[in-house]
Amino acid sequence: MSARTPLAILMTAAALGISPVQALIVPMPGWTPVAGNANEWVDDAGACLLREEKHGQAFPTFKTQDQARSFALKLQSKLSARKVREVVTQPVDRAGAWSILASYSYEESGVTYRISQLYLSDSGILRTVTGSSAEFEGSPCVNAMREFLRYLAD
């Protein structure tokens, strides 16, 4: 699988008005920036891709899990209305503030991709960290990427 394939799926996020701003730190061995861009990282096999993006829209800081859960349910509903399937959202704790982790499937050119997307408040502005891989990709990068998004990305 080429690095362009997972990259294509991340275009879904681009359609939401995303523009790269800051550099993502990916602590996984074998991952490198795509074309020197520290906002996009690909594993050494080209099977998984991570992208950090900052949106120009406001995004609240959730102080409680209940606030985050309420927003997660609204996000799940909005994502489900788009060209994505199997949408699941959940609040995740990030150093005392709550963020939202979404997971969904997306199909493009006959290939289904699994997306994990972390929604963070960066000084009141929406920032996302998105990971993608083909649906049945068996590379070790898949679990490493999902664990990074679930527990470490911030």
Side-chain angles (χ1 to χ4, degrees), residues 59-125:
F59 190 74
T61 300
F62 303 111
K63 297 185 188 305
T64 69
Q65 186 176 15
D66 286 339
Q67 289 175 334
R69 182 175 313 157
S70 176
F71 184 86
L73 291 172
K74 290 175 190 172
L75 177 62
Q76 184 170 344
S77 179
K78 286 186 180 199
L79 287 171
S80 294
R82 298 185 182 267
K83 190 182 171 183
V84 298
R85 297 179 285 117
E86 302 168 334
V87 179
V88 176
T89 59
Q90 67 182 51
V92 291
D93 185 16
R94 289 296 188 270
W98 289 89
S99 300
I100 311 299
L101 182 62
S103 175
Y104 52 90
S105 295
Y106 175 81
E107 187 173 326
E108 183 174 292
S109 301
V111 178
T112 301
Y113 298 93
R114 289 297 302 162
I115 308 299
S116 293
Q117 191 167 41
L118 182 63
Y119 292 74
L120 302 153
S121 180
D122 187 354
S123 300
I125 302 297

Side-chain angles (χ1 to χ4, degrees), residues 10 49-51 114-117 129-133 145 149:
L10 289 176
L49 184 74
L50 281 167
R51 176 186 284 172
R114 289 297 302 162
I115 308 299
S116 293
Q117 191 167 41
V129 182
T130 307
S132 69
S133 61
M145 176 181 67
L149 288 166

